[in-house]
Amino acid sequence: MTRQIEVLAPAGSMESLKAAFLNGADAVYLGGELFGARAYANNFSQEELIQAIEYAHKFHKKIYLTVNTLVKESEIKDVVSYLRPYYEAGLDAVLIQDLGVLMVVKEHFPDLELHASTQMTVTTVESAMELKRLGMKRVVPARELSLNEIKKIKDGTNLDVECFVHGALCYCYSGQCFMSSMIGGRSGNRGRCAGTCRLPFDIYDGNQKIQNQGQKYLLSQKDLCTIDILPEIIEAGVDSLKIEGRMKNPEYVGEVTRIYRKYVDLYSSQKPYKVDENDRLILLELFNRGGFTRGYYKQHNGKDMMAMHRPNHQGIRIGVIEKIKGGTLSFKLEENLHKGDILEISIHDTDCVELTSPVEEKKGNIVTLNGQKLRKMKLGMPIYRTKNQKLRSELEEHLKTKNKEKLKGKVKFLVGKPVTLEIQSTKEDIFVEGAIVDVAQNRPMDEEDIVKQLKKTGQTDYVFESLEVEVQGAGFLPVKALKDLRRKAFDALEEATAKKYHREYQDIFQREDEKSNIIHPAVKISVAIDEMKYFDFAVEKESVSRIYVSFLELIQRKELWKKLENASKEVFLTLPQVTREQTLKLFEENIELMKQDGVRGFLVQSMDQIHWLMTHHIDKKMMLNYNVYNYNQRSVRFYQELLGEQVSFTFPAECNLEEMENLGINNGEIYYYGHFPVMISAQCQKKDMLRCDHKPTVLRLKDRKNQDFYVKNHCKLCYNEILNGVCTWLGNDNQDVMKLNPQYVRLHFTIETVEEINEVIDKTTAIISGHTNHVDMGEYTKGHFKRGIL
């Protein structure tokens, strides 16, 4: 096999970085103090990050910096000054989500390698092709893609492809989650996800609770583990195998890296590929949420991918309670037990007993331990080990090993001449001279003496694997002179290695973007409907100017296509929230609908859709939805230059009024009313809780604070949409909304009745026509219109 497969490890600290490289990582991805998708990790300071870059390069490894959040207009100016010291130090690549950031980085750091973060939600070759055109060298596709879809991206672009192979999975498509943001103001798009999908929920069909007992964590997925299918992943064209875990400890990072390095090397050796059961066990002991999943590579979704019974580390089962007597419990060991192991017995959903083992015992033996809450325990209850003290101690001890670069050395020790040391690393040759060799007054130094002193490399990052010595004459040097010679050589090697990667930044003029001064004569109302049964009603409402109708709904109701041409309103197709290979196939099959005169434009949800429409020469208006992100003027300008006058923008859902004003959007539309979609998932709650009958249904989630969320299953493309149970409503803040000078205010109808739709349209009409400035809407939220996000 000639293709080099990269093992890419996470690092939330310098200790984790060293653990990763010690255990075989080829590269590490990490975050600095700004713009990273793990704002709560122990991220690297500027000094630490530069040290990390130099340390990696010393061992011919790579560092990738995460700049994979959305960046506000007030922050975009800081991107250059933030990246400059890392660029100059030789940073190998940067991971990006925000297109505005991409434009800035390309402009200021033209030779810095660019990687498209999974936060970009790359789901087909369409967006990958556009990103390649923009200068991306590598793409990290959405984790939901199958092996076939990944192969199509690789074959269609020849970009480097990086995929997650181990660690936590989000319930929502990465880059498309607003749930943490809308509930608590902590945006996943800004690296501050609160882990909402790990919280408990109940689910209802109507008023009937439909989950089984113990199933509380309905949005929590098992961690990914792919060692069994690594050959298939590699053969699908994946170049870099990515381990998730920047919040994990060094022991976890090091050991997971070691295991994946082992199996990449095994595959590359072309020997029979077989996974050692002990390696599976170690991975489970390190962290699992009730077992592992192989992810989406070979299945679209499924209940077996979920960790509904607990969202945190379960450990491994080591027995079941067989006897309870006199303050003790007894059980037969299914695995070896070690002194200091932490054991856990779950009493019910919110209560558990934790025990610390005082003994060492072999698998198969009966163990009796003192216990608490024994009255609540029953025979047959499983006992899990959540901390393997022996494994933990071994890993901690292993990490004390220092990673060292192996060197070859040659010494010339000639009386009357300077002693010389020539060293060869993997990529550098260094030659240094030291003190002049004196004539020995007593015992002269021989080869063994010189080798002994020079090989004492101690806490340096180097070790001599071979050292040749040429001695001429009866010479002598103080031990300090040999130490100084070695230090001089090592310093020169470090300087030469670092210099090889260093760059010089060339400052350029940065153009200032300007706000638009275009004033629209009167704001209009647009209505987005998920079901065509409301179309005629929307057309009849005089105050409605534009109607967004569901593409997925229409392709199943071809008899309604004529209605679009005869409508007195401007009709746009709302394209699906998820674009997969199946979506593109539907576009091809229904291109007649997309080209018909009755369709004036599209509500676009992804770069994939933009690229597909452009390459198929469908030259119509495009309204970019809030999930085609534009948090700064550079990203707005990018789309204006790409699409020209045909493009218009939905104001960002996570920006406040002031931040939206700073964008300079002159043809915008604001999300004015609706049950805002907070998650889009490839998983299906209906399938998990009831069964798959391919019929759209609305279920209701209820969180621990009694807040409702609605779950809609879109069967045509098999994905779930989770809607906020509390409506967004900006009508009572209309005076502030008008400061944005929007062209349209959008009313988004998803689960409403026709009576409710009529009421909302009439109240909106009254507000924007100036007949009133406040209406009663019951409970509602302003979203981020006032508060914004950090």
Side-chain angles (χ1 to χ4, degrees):
M1 172 178 178
T2 56
R3 188 161 61 101
Q4 293 297 309
I5 304 302
E6 179 181 84
V7 175
L8 176 59
S13 67
M14 195 66 178
E15 292 74 23
S16 290
L17 178 142
K18 289 182 176 180
F21 288 141
L22 177 65
N23 285 279
D26 299 295
V28 156
Y29 67 101
L30 49 78
E33 294 176 318
L34 298 174
F35 308 129
R38 292 291 183 273
Y40 298 113
N42 184 22
N43 289 313
F44 289 70
S45 67
Q46 179 176 308
E47 181 182 357
E48 289 170 334
L49 213 159
I50 291 173
Q51 288 175 357
I53 293 169
E54 292 175 347
Y55 180 84
H57 291 163
K58 191 178 297 184
F59 298 101
H60 316 294
K61 309 289 188 178
K62 294 182 178 181
I63 297 291
Y64 305 147
L65 178 63
T66 58
V67 187
N68 56 342
T69 56
L70 298 178
V71 177
K72 299 177 184 178
E73 178 60 26
S74 61
E75 302 164 333
I76 195 79
K77 64 183 184 300
D78 299 324
V79 170
V80 174
S81 59
Y82 172 67
L83 282 179
R84 178 174 175 173
Y86 311 135
Y87 170 82
E88 292 177 334
L91 177 67
D92 296 285
V94 60
L95 285 93
I96 293 174
Q97 176 186 13
D98 192 304
L99 280 174
V101 171
L102 172 60
M103 297 300 106
V104 169
V105 174
K106 276 183 61 179
E107 190 175 291
H108 286 265
F109 310 105
D111 57 341
L112 181 57
E113 189 169 302
L114 306 175
H115 296 178
S117 168
T118 192
Q119 288 289 112
M120 277 192 155
T121 325
V122 174
T123 49
T124 78
V125 71
E126 298 288 338
S127 55
M129 288 170 65
E130 180 62 18
L131 291 171
K132 181 178 181 178
R133 184 187 71 82
L134 294 175
M136 291 291 190
K137 184 179 184 296
R138 175 179 293 191
V139 63
V140 188
R143 296 177 223 208
E144 290 78 4
L145 298 197
S146 68
L147 291 175
N148 287 335
E149 288 172 305
I150 292 167
K151 190 173 190 307
K152 285 188 177 182
I153 289 175
K154 179 65 178 180
D155 292 345
T157 64
N158 203 33
L159 286 166
D160 285 351
V161 175
E162 172 184 309
C163 287
F164 286 93
V165 293
H166 197 92
L169 290 172
C170 300
Y171 189 78
C172 182
Y173 279 86
S174 294
Q176 301 297 313
C177 184
F178 295 92
M179 199 166 194
S180 172
S181 167
M182 289 297 178
I183 291 176
R186 289 174 53 177
S187 170
N189 284 316
R190 301 274 294 170
R192 293 175 170 84
C193 176
T196 314
C197 55
R198 304 296 180 191
L199 297 176
F201 290 87
D202 291 326
I203 189 163
Y204 295 82
D205 184 5
N207 293 319
Q208 183 179 358
K209 192 173 176 180
I210 57 175
Q211 77 242 54
N212 295 327
Q213 185 175 0
Q215 293 178 336
K216 295 291 290 182
Y217 303 96
L218 306 182
L219 308 182
S220 178
Q221 291 194 227
K222 294 176 182 175
D223 274 26
L224 179 66
C225 177
T226 63
I227 51 172
D228 288 296
I229 59 170
L230 274 189
E232 294 172 78
I233 292 173
I234 294 168
E235 286 158 16
V238 176
D239 303 284
S240 179
L241 306 176
K242 187 171 192 174
I243 299 164
E244 184 276 337
R246 279 197 282 148
M247 306 286 279
K248 293 290 200 300
N249 60 43
E251 292 78 20
Y252 175 95
V253 170
E255 189 64 359
V256 174
T257 300
R258 181 192 69 80
I259 290 173
Y260 277 85
R261 172 85 272 159
K262 172 182 174 179
Y263 288 101
V264 169
D265 291 347
L266 176 62
Y267 172 79
S268 300
S269 73
Q270 299 185 335
K271 294 177 182 177
Y273 190 89
K274 184 179 180 182
V275 176
D276 188 327
E277 288 302 320
N278 189 54
D279 289 331
R280 289 189 219 278
L281 188 63
I282 289 172
L283 291 172
L284 287 166
E285 296 253 33
L286 288 170
F287 193 89
N288 80 89
R289 306 176 204 266
F292 288 127
T293 173
R294 294 179 182 178
Y296 296 93
Y297 290 115
K298 302 183 77 170
Q299 68 181 102
H300 186 82
N301 55 30
K303 194 172 183 177
D304 60 331
M305 299 175 70
M306 305 304 298
M308 296 185 192
H309 292 276
R310 64 182 298 159
N312 52 4
H313 180 42
Q314 177 176 286
I316 64 166
R317 198 178 93 158
I318 64 165
V320 297
I321 299 175
E322 297 182 1
K323 186 177 180 181
I324 302 173
K325 184 178 180 180
T328 65
L329 57 88
S330 301
F331 58 96
K332 184 178 180 179
L333 285 172
E334 297 173 3
E335 301 289 343
N336 291 337
L337 184 67
H338 317 109
K339 186 175 181 180
D341 283 359
I342 304 298
L343 311 181
E344 187 179 290
I345 304 166
S346 180
I347 305 299
H348 52 73
D349 292 346
T350 58
D351 192 14
C352 69
V353 173
E354 200 172 82
L355 307 171
T356 301
S357 171
V359 298
E360 299 257 352
E361 286 290 350
K362 296 289 186 183
K363 177 180 178 179
N365 291 349
I366 301 293
V367 175
T368 299
L369 300 176
N370 295 325
Q372 305 169 11
K373 303 181 182 179
L374 295 185
R375 290 182 180 178
K376 296 182 179 181
M377 295 186 190
K378 298 177 182 178
L379 299 182
M381 279 186 168
I383 303 169
Y384 290 89
R385 176 168 62 206
T386 55
K387 179 183 177 182
N388 184 326
Q389 185 57 47
K390 183 173 182 289
L391 176 62
R392 178 61 61 88
S393 298
E394 289 173 350
L395 296 181
E396 289 173 352
E397 189 62 31
H398 173 60
L399 293 186
K400 293 177 183 177
T401 305
K402 192 168 179 65
N403 203 11
K404 287 179 175 278
E405 172 82 350
K406 293 179 180 179
L407 305 175
K408 294 178 180 179
K410 291 182 180 180
V411 180
K412 286 191 176 182
F413 193 83
L414 313 180
V415 174
K417 294 185 178 181
V419 62
T420 64
L421 174 58
E422 182 182 350
I423 57 177
Q424 286 184 324
S425 69
T426 308
K427 297 190 176 181
E428 300 291 341
D429 290 341
I430 299 295
F431 178 85
V432 294
E433 291 184 345
I436 295 175
V437 179
D438 295 326
V439 176
Q441 300 299 312
N442 298 303
R443 188 178 76 83
M445 278 187 165
D446 59 17
E447 181 180 340
E448 185 178 343
D449 296 326
I450 296 167
V451 169
K452 179 181 178 181
Q453 293 303 323
L454 290 179
K455 279 198 169 184
K456 291 180 178 179
T457 56
Q459 292 303 303
T460 70
D461 294 317
Y462 305 105
V463 62
F464 285 107
E465 64 175 348
S466 68
L467 193 58
E468 299 177 15
V469 179
E470 179 185 343
V471 178
Q472 288 185 11
F476 175 81
L477 277 179
V479 170
K480 182 180 182 301
L482 290 176
K483 288 182 178 179
D484 289 344
L485 179 70
R486 182 184 61 224
R487 185 183 305 113
K488 185 177 181 180
F490 288 178
D491 288 347
L493 177 58
E494 289 191 0
E495 183 180 349
T497 302
K499 188 176 180 180
K500 188 174 180 180
Y501 292 92
H502 283 178
R503 308 181 184 94
E504 185 176 341
Y505 173 72
Q506 300 293 326
D507 201 2
I508 65 169
F509 172 74
Q510 190 162 354
R511 171 180 131 182
E512 290 288 333
D513 289 298
E514 298 179 358
K515 294 182 183 179
S516 166
N517 294 317
I518 295 175
I519 303 297
H520 300 298
V523 67
K524 301 174 185 178
I525 296 175
S526 69
V527 167
I529 55 174
D530 281 6
E531 298 182 64
M532 281 299 290
K533 65 183 180 182
Y534 301 125
F535 182 77
D536 290 339
F537 175 77
V539 169
E540 290 168 5
K541 295 297 287 186
E542 186 177 341
S543 60
V544 173
S545 298
R546 176 183 290 174
I547 304 173
Y548 296 104
V549 297
S550 167
F551 169 81
L552 292 180
E553 170 94 352
L554 269 176
I555 62 174
Q556 299 173 78
R557 303 281 304 278
K558 289 193 175 184
E559 73 277 7
L560 300 178
W561 290 12
K562 281 286 184 184
K563 283 193 172 189
L564 307 186
E565 295 183 350
N566 299 329
S568 57
K569 313 288 184 178
E570 187 178 46
V571 178
F572 278 42
L573 291 184
T574 301
L575 300 183
Q577 289 151 304
V578 175
T579 310
R580 300 280 293 271
E581 283 298 320
Q582 186 182 356
T583 319
L584 299 181
K585 185 178 178 182
L586 291 178
F587 288 171
E588 298 282 355
E589 292 172 352
N590 294 278
I591 198 166
E592 179 187 346
L593 167 64
M594 304 175 87
K595 288 185 173 182
Q596 73 156 261
D597 292 340
V599 174
R600 301 289 300 278
F602 305 94
L603 181 60
V604 173
Q605 315 257 19
S606 70
M607 177 69 81
D608 301 274
Q609 295 171 1
I610 293 171
H611 192 265
W612 188 91
L613 289 167
M614 291 177 66
T615 55
H616 285 74
H617 308 292
I618 302 179
D619 188 24
K620 295 187 178 185
K621 294 179 183 178
M622 291 190 206
M623 169 60 71
L624 307 188
N625 208 4
Y626 51 78
N627 51 357
V628 180
Y629 297 116
N630 293 284
Y631 282 38
N632 53 73
Q633 290 190 33
R634 293 303 298 268
S635 58
V636 171
R637 177 149 47 98
F638 164 77
Y639 284 113
Q640 289 171 335
E641 292 172 354
L642 179 70
L643 301 171
E645 295 182 356
Q646 296 288 56
V647 70
S648 51
F649 301 88
T650 307
F651 284 99
E654 292 184 315
C655 288
N656 62 28
L657 173 61
E658 181 182 357
E659 290 161 350
M660 286 190 274
E661 286 183 290
N662 289 337
L663 293 175
I665 292 175
N666 60 37
N667 53 356
E669 177 167 311
I670 193 163
Y671 194 98
Y672 203 73
Y673 168 87
H675 289 278
F676 190 84
V678 293
M679 274 193 183
I680 307 298
S681 177
Q683 294 292 334
C684 181
Q685 286 294 317
K686 182 178 181 181
K687 179 181 176 182
D688 288 350
M689 295 296 110
L690 299 169
R691 64 185 180 87
C692 177
D693 59 6
H694 302 286
K695 294 180 180 178
T697 305
V698 178
L699 302 177
R700 180 166 51 92
L701 286 170
K702 188 177 288 291
D703 71 9
R704 69 198 193 287
K705 295 183 178 180
N706 219 32
Q707 172 69 54
D708 285 338
F709 299 87
Y710 298 102
V711 185
K712 296 185 73 174
N713 53 301
H714 295 272
C715 297
K716 190 70 176 177
L717 291 174
C718 196
Y719 68 89
N720 271 196
E721 175 186 23
I722 300 181
L723 307 171
N724 196 352
V726 178
C727 282
T728 295
W729 170 246
L730 299 183
N732 292 343
D733 290 271
N734 190 65
Q735 187 173 350
D736 285 334
V737 171
M738 291 304 112
K739 292 177 182 178
L740 297 172
N741 191 28
Q743 276 189 304
Y744 290 88
V745 296
R746 185 187 306 162
L747 312 179
H748 180 206
F749 298 117
T750 50
I751 59 172
E752 291 82 356
T753 63
V754 69
E755 292 77 18
E756 290 168 333
I757 292 173
N758 186 55
E759 181 182 1
V760 171
I761 293 175
D762 287 348
K763 287 181 176 180
T764 303
T765 303
I767 289 280
I768 67 169
S769 63
H771 293 147
T772 183
N773 59 16
H774 189 277
V775 295
D776 182 13
M777 292 294 289
E779 183 184 9
Y780 67 88
T781 175
K782 300 174 186 179
H784 291 293
F785 186 71
K786 293 291 188 180
R787 64 180 180 177
I789 52 175
L790 294 176

